[in-house]
Amino acid sequence: MELSNILNRRDWLGTAALGVVGSSSGWMHTLAAAAKRPKKSVILLWLNGGPSTIDLWDMKPGHANGGPFRAIRTPAAGLQLSEHLPKLAALGSQLALVRSMTSQEGDHGRAAVFVRTGYTPQGGILFPVLGSLVAHALYDPANDLPGFVSIAVPRFATAPGGGFLGPRFGPLTIGSGATSPDGLTVPYLRRMTGVTKMAQVSRFQLLQKLETLAVKKRPGAIADAARAATDSAARLMQPSATETFFLEHEDTKLRDAYGRTVFGQGCLLARRLVEKGVSFVEVSLDGWDTHLNNFEQIKGLCATLDAGFAALLADLQSRGLLDSTLVVCMGEFGRTPKINGANGRDHWPQAWSVALAGGGVPGGQVIGKTSADGSAVTDHPVTVPDLIATICTAIGIDPSGQNPSNVGRPIRVADPAAKPIQELL
Amino acid sequence: MLIPLCFLAAFGVALSPPTPADPIAVRVDQHFADHWRKTVVTPAPVCDDATFLRRASLDLLGRIPTVAEVRAFLADSSPHKRTVLVDRLLASPLHAQHMASVWRRVWLPQSDAPAFARLAPAFEDWIAERLTARVPYDEMVRELLTMPPGSLDGGGESVSPRGFRVANEYKPENLAASAARAFLGVNLDCAQCHNHPFAKWTRDQFWETAAFFARPITTPTGIRLELPIGETARMANPRLLTATPLNWPQEIRAETGPTLFAAWVTASDNPFFARNAVNRLWAQLLGTGLIEPLDDLGGDAPQDYDPVLEDLARAFRDGGYDFAQLTRGIVLSRVYQQASEPATEVPTSEGVAFSRAMVRGLTGEQLYDSLRVAGGHPLPESRVKNPTRQQFISLFQSERAGTAQRSVIQALTLMNGRVVMENVQPGLSPIVQAVSAPFFQEAERIDMLFLSALGRLPTEPERQFLVAHLEAGAARGERTSALADIFWALLNTAEFSTNH
């Protein structure tokens, strides 16, 4: 299809997408198809700093390592949660807990890379994060929104992006370092001051014409990528896409249910994005590196997590989106079962837990087991690559699929040694 | 369909750029002429003057040329004007500043992360000062590697390579791995934990290299440098990656290990030192190294361009490790001056390295400074310490800008951000102000906007289309905003954002 036809058919001021500048790679041609929700999406609730999962998902009441928190029942037999997660406990039949995660990376930076990419950091290979792998595998050229959005990334977090898949599949980051929900905005999404809608359309038309006149003269992937990014940015500026970020369009009571925190409103934004066909959304909650005063801190963090996570599940369910949206809640490792001298817990990658819900994963079950003191996995050990392969399989991506990499050999979506957790599929 | 080079010459196709011979350029040209003959590839023709000026300005000064520079260069009829231009660019203070940001990213990659960003200005100042004084490269590397650790903290001087120690957290294993990567093109990182699966370095070799940076320890048998090999109980002592004997002094002091290591790194018979510098400079100027990946010179992969690299490395060494001389030779070679469009419609040269110029991305520094030049703004005096520039740069950061793909946020920044707004908004933009003056014809206005943004005149279809747009705007009494819209569009083209 000619670019000018796309311009005519798809008015930037209207409802659908516009190919502003066109790329010679040809993906533009599929624009005429309407955006549709991918079969499945993932929302990753990222607990930055390494959550004390022994105080959340794998309680050890009665043991010296268990700390002061009580465990409470949920509707699912054998599935107990911390007393500070009461709203989630009520939804226990939707939760699947993996209590037997085990890894060897105890450094924040290395562990964050490992858990988010599924590969041990090794010199030279730019492993993409899971969000980029998913956005790449489920790429929908008809969607005006990018495939991977990352919300409230902590300021100094290690955040590898699209890696060898390129920034096109890297995250659109929203509200990085935000201290209030008002900070959940896309930078520079608004037109320049004083530029009317009509003037903006005129600018896009000029740009499109200039690129059409020059496109054959400037070959190459870098020029294509620049045009593709400009195109994506222009599509994101359309009212129908921009509208996705207007949380004020939501019901006040629903917003209250999510919690008026950056994380809570970030979860709500995640739902809005998934609803519009974004295939991977990450929402970060920072502060889990509780070397000091663990229990006081965890209590506060739980209130935020409980409200956001539970409201998200309920909201997804009421909109019929829960079966197609896999929610995963984790951090880079767990924390020492033994309580340290500062009433805190230190890094503990040997045994930790992950919570999953939705996406067709059977809820109300617990995978694996740790020892009575919480320090070791005693049943069904699950590695990080196993978990990555499980998430991929659950949303219909072949974990053994290969991507071309930056080191001259293809790299599999998940480490070839990974075994998906059958009970969750 | 393949056309032998001699036929092209017979038909008057320019095969050599009109420049007097630079000895290094001559050798590069000879290698590539042989290479194209053997591989039966037709390389792209030499690019036109406007393209050359823009490319050389971006590569040597880190910014596009000004309107005045483009006009003067296009009007110059001297056959040697490219050589004269390159010599002028190399002598500019901007050249040292630009190369300082290039080498800082290679030698101190950690300074692009928030945790070590504070180290960047002093480190860049140090490189720029040494380059300006034409300190040979081997001397710079020795200075960087041998700074005695005790004297590094606290000293308030602003020009110093101490950032190398700080960014590597004073750890022997980090210092060794970073030095090997930056100055030898050897990647030892994997060997830190296990024998490298694809290259020849072993874990023991990694720790033996690191041991040069160990703190001397006193043992019953004397003062020694040693490090435990990872988590094992074995100890590593300093040993070189090649079988070069070491001249240990009588007394081992803190700087002994780094000094011996630096002497070996920069020795004229080190097989990697000159080759790595040449390969990295080549990659900077042409987008792809003669050997890739850049940090795997020790690898076993077959190397098509090894003779070129070897020859250039020898010239660099024999010329006293003078970056300016090496840069001059590469930039005046034919392969650097090729057009980015393929030679023929037939895609024979598609994907053949160096058969045409690679279209490259720009660093945040290049993009910011080019935007300022395009808008007619003066460049700030101290570029490193300008906060607006720093903020912009951090948004456009990437490990290797030449091959980095643009993100959506970066595109939004260019479409709606402050820096471009100051280039297009009437009242803020000197260039829009200038072309709005009443005494110009519409076509002259379009020409000036093209020269400002793209360093070239518009093609006839471009000029016609934009003059018509401008005339329509002027008829509505909105000429200035039409000019702003056109300039906005030019700044958002892929052509503006790339080096081609």
Side-chain angles (χ1 to χ4, degrees):
Chain A
M1 184 192 295
E2 285 297 311
L3 293 169
S4 54
N5 290 346
I6 295 173
L7 229 186
N8 290 337
R9 284 184 46 174
R10 308 182 74 84
D11 184 355
W12 190 75
L13 294 174
T15 53
L18 156 72
V20 178
V21 293
S23 80
S24 58
S25 60
W27 62 269
M28 283 278 307
H29 294 199
T30 52
L31 269 182
K36 56 181 187 299
R37 265 183 53 75
K39 281 196 202 109
K40 293 200 171 169
S41 302
V42 178
I43 296 175
L44 171 61
L45 306 180
W46 179 256
L47 309 185
N48 195 58
S52 181
T53 54
I54 193 172
D55 297 316
L56 306 174
W57 318 117
D58 188 16
M59 309 290 289
K60 299 293 175 186
H63 193 281
N65 289 350
F69 295 167
R70 285 187 308 118
I72 53 172
R73 288 164 176 279
T74 74
L79 198 155
Q80 297 192 320
L81 299 184
S82 162
E83 62 178 318
H84 298 295
L85 298 170
K87 293 174 179 139
L88 274 172
L91 302 174
S93 53
Q94 292 175 358
L95 290 176
L97 298 179
V98 181
R99 286 181 172 160
S100 50
M101 293 300 304
T102 181
S103 100
Q104 293 178 339
E105 300 292 349
D107 168 77
H108 289 293
R110 288 179 61 86
V113 173
F114 180 48
V115 173
R116 284 206 244 189
T117 65
Y119 283 92
T120 311
Q122 40 188 287
I125 307 179
L126 301 170
F127 292 108
V129 292
L130 180 61
S132 298
L133 288 165
V134 170
H136 177 257
L138 302 183
Y139 178 52
D140 174 11
N143 198 336
D144 290 333
L145 294 164
F148 175 18
V149 178
S150 187
I151 300 169
V153 185
R155 196 164 282 281
F156 290 108
T158 308
F164 56 67
L165 295 174
R168 217 165 99 195
F169 299 106
L172 172 71
T173 50
I174 296 174
S176 303
T179 50
S180 94
D182 297 338
L184 293 174
T185 54
V186 182
Y188 306 116
L189 191 55
R190 303 171 75 93
R191 296 188 301 274
M192 283 177 192
T193 322
V195 175
T196 63
K197 269 187 189 178
M198 283 312 294
Q200 190 66 52
V201 169
S202 170
R203 288 180 171 192
F204 281 143
Q205 284 167 337
L206 284 166
L207 176 56
Q208 189 220 20
K209 178 75 177 174
L210 288 174
E211 290 289 7
T212 312
L213 290 172
V215 75
K216 285 203 184 94
K217 291 192 65 188
R218 306 287 162 209
I222 299 304
D224 276 353
R227 283 186 280 266
T230 304
D231 222 61
S232 305
R235 293 172 73 178
L236 200 57
M237 282 174 69
Q238 291 183 103
S240 59
T242 308
E243 189 273 335
T244 314
F245 304 100
F246 294 164
L247 294 176
E248 49 274 35
H249 292 182
E250 292 287 335
D251 179 68
T252 309
K253 276 193 190 136
L254 184 67
R255 292 193 71 182
D256 291 343
Y258 274 93
R260 296 280 182 165
T261 59
V262 174
F263 177 77
Q265 299 302 299
C267 286
L268 174 57
L269 180 53
R271 190 223 80 215
R272 290 175 68 86
L273 289 162
V274 160
E275 209 168 24
K276 290 272 189 82
V278 175
S279 47
F280 197 102
V281 186
E282 184 174 286
V283 190
S284 293
L285 179 57
D286 198 11
W288 297 89
D289 195 18
T290 50
H291 291 284
L292 313 171
N293 203 9
N294 174 73
F295 302 98
E296 200 59 34
Q297 294 199 66
I298 294 290
K299 208 170 134 182
L301 288 163
C302 275
T304 303
L305 175 65
D306 192 42
F309 194 169
L312 177 63
L313 293 181
D315 197 10
L316 286 170
Q317 184 158 50
S318 76
R319 285 163 195 265
L321 294 169
L322 189 58
D323 278 350
S324 59
T325 307
L326 177 62
V327 183
V328 182
C329 179
M330 64 175 173
E332 60 262 42
F333 40 61
R335 306 199 75 83
T336 42
K338 193 170 158 50
I339 299 161
N340 70 23
N343 214 23
R345 298 188 192 267
D346 303 316
H347 304 179
W348 195 252
Q350 284 88 334
W352 45 289
S353 309
V354 169
L356 302 99
V361 166
Q365 60 167 331
V366 174
I367 308 294
K369 216 173 161 179
T370 51
S371 52
D373 67 354
S375 66
V377 172
T378 55
D379 179 42
H380 201 331
V382 175
T383 66
V384 166
D386 292 343
L387 180 70
I388 300 277
T390 307
I391 295 170
C392 287
T393 309
I395 59 168
I397 297 172
D398 177 5
S400 67
Q402 297 189 331
N403 291 311
S405 82
N406 63 313
V407 291
R409 61 192 165 92
I411 303 281
R412 292 188 191 278
V413 169
D415 189 296
K419 297 176 296 294
I421 307 166
Q422 291 308 324
E423 293 87 337
L424 296 185
L425 299 169
Chain B
M1 166 132 137
L2 304 164
I3 309 165
L5 289 176
C6 52
F7 283 98
L8 286 175
F11 283 99
V13 176
L15 283 177
S16 310
T19 51
D22 173 283
I24 292 178
V26 167
R27 288 156 84 156
V28 173
D29 288 350
Q30 191 57 51
H31 278 293
F32 276 92
D34 291 348
H35 182 69
W36 301 137
R37 200 172 302 123
K38 264 185 250 161
T39 51
V40 206
V41 167
T42 307
V46 168
C47 67
D48 61 33
D49 282 339
T51 304
F52 181 77
L53 174 65
R54 188 175 189 272
R55 188 186 297 168
S57 300
L58 278 167
D59 279 333
L60 301 184
L61 302 187
R63 62 156 176 84
I64 57 170
T66 64
V67 177
E69 287 167 345
V70 183
R71 285 201 196 277
F73 192 67
L74 295 183
D76 186 349
S77 58
S78 152
H80 306 315
K81 67 179 181 181
R82 293 193 184 190
T83 307
V84 173
L85 169 74
V86 170
D87 286 334
R88 184 170 60 75
L89 298 182
L90 285 171
S92 161
L94 281 185
H95 174 60
Q97 285 188 36
H98 170 60
M99 292 315 290
S101 78
V102 168
W103 292 125
R104 192 263 300 163
R105 205 154 267 149
V106 177
W107 300 344
L108 204 69
Q110 301 94 331
S111 59
D112 270 343
F116 294 112
R118 67 181 193 282
L119 302 173
F123 197 77
E124 278 192 29
D125 285 350
W126 173 73
I127 301 175
E129 183 167 286
R130 296 299 185 267
L131 290 177
T132 305
R134 291 196 74 164
V135 172
Y137 170 61
D138 60 330
E139 262 185 62
M140 290 176 70
V141 173
R142 278 194 295 272
E143 182 184 354
L144 183 147
L145 289 177
T146 59
M147 291 190 66
S151 72
L152 292 177
D153 303 315
E157 61 170 325
S158 62
V159 175
S160 155
R162 87 163 71 83
F164 185 74
R165 296 274 166 141
V166 183
N168 286 296
E169 301 173 82
Y170 303 93
K171 289 181 183 167
E173 59 271 35
N174 295 7
L175 289 161
S178 294
R181 185 195 288 270
F183 304 115
L184 300 178
V186 168
N187 183 352
L188 293 176
D189 291 359
C190 294
Q192 180 171 355
C193 310
H194 49 77
N195 291 342
H196 196 297
F198 308 110
K200 56 189 176 184
W201 312 114
T202 65
R203 190 180 181 194
D204 285 6
Q205 280 181 304
F206 174 86
W207 289 101
E208 285 162 0
T209 309
F212 282 100
F213 293 96
R215 273 175 196 282
I217 47 167
T218 310
T219 67
T221 53
I223 300 173
R224 280 218 304 261
L225 298 176
E226 62 177 27
L227 276 181
I229 296 180
E231 315 282 301
T232 71
R234 292 188 298 125
M235 301 300 279
N237 297 108
R239 223 181 88 191
L240 298 167
L241 293 173
T242 59
T244 314
L246 283 166
N247 293 319
W248 287 98
Q250 285 295 317
E251 189 193 353
I252 293 178
R253 297 143 65 105
E255 67 275 18
T256 304
T259 305
L260 284 171
F261 181 72
W264 170 74
V265 165
T266 59
S268 60
D269 59 351
N270 186 302
F272 303 113
F273 182 63
R275 284 162 61 92
N276 168 66
V278 170
N279 196 42
R280 287 187 185 274
L281 183 64
W282 183 279
Q284 177 64 27
L285 294 170
L286 285 107
T288 311
L290 289 161
I291 290 182
E292 290 276 348
L294 298 179
D295 58 6
D296 197 15
L297 290 193
D300 305 324
Q303 303 298 342
D304 290 345
Y305 304 100
D306 212 51
V308 193
L309 181 56
E310 197 50 50
D311 208 11
L312 281 173
R314 193 179 312 120
F316 184 45
R317 193 166 56 225
D318 295 348
Y321 296 106
D322 180 1
F323 269 133
Q325 188 189 65
L326 178 64
T327 308
R328 185 182 197 269
I330 295 174
V331 171
L332 290 175
S333 72
R334 189 193 183 284
V335 66
Y336 177 84
Q337 299 190 46
Q338 283 163 176
S340 54
E341 297 88 349
T344 53
E345 288 294 313
V346 189
T348 50
S349 56
E350 195 72 24
V352 177
F354 312 124
S355 65
R356 60 180 170 90
M358 184 177 144
V359 178
R360 291 172 278 152
L362 304 180
T363 61
E365 287 92 338
Q366 284 173 320
L367 198 52
Y368 180 86
D369 292 345
S370 294
L371 281 167
R372 298 303 285 177
V373 167
H377 301 281
L379 286 180
E381 281 292 311
S382 171
R383 301 193 300 165
V384 179
K385 286 155 195 144
N386 178 325
T388 315
R389 184 174 183 266
Q390 285 311 116
Q391 196 193 357
F392 185 90
I393 289 168
S394 66
L395 253 171
F396 283 84
Q397 218 154 59
S398 66
E399 201 170 344
R400 206 169 155 183
T403 51
Q405 297 186 359
R406 171 145 305 162
S407 74
V408 175
I409 300 276
Q410 289 169 349
L412 283 170
T413 307
L414 288 181
M415 293 192 328
N416 303 326
R418 175 94 201 160
V419 178
V420 172
M421 186 169 92
E422 289 180 356
N423 275 2
V424 300
Q425 189 142 304
L428 294 177
S429 164
I431 182 71
V432 170
Q433 176 94 11
V435 295
S436 299
F439 44 81
F440 291 118
Q441 296 184 349
E442 305 296 19
E444 290 176 319
R445 296 190 167 100
I446 299 298
D447 286 1
M448 272 181 68
L449 293 184
F450 261 78
L451 291 170
S452 298
L454 304 180
R456 66 172 173 93
L457 290 166
T459 62
E460 213 32 60
E462 285 167 339
R463 188 181 283 127
Q464 276 175 20
F465 158 67
L466 291 175
V467 165
H469 182 86
L470 198 47
E471 280 170 349
R476 291 192 307 271
E478 295 171 357
R479 178 185 288 123
T480 303
S481 62
L483 286 166
D485 291 347
I486 291 170
F487 202 50
W488 179 92
L490 286 170
L491 296 177
N492 278 282
T493 56
E495 184 173 348
F496 178 80
S497 274
T498 52
N499 187 356
H500 33 74

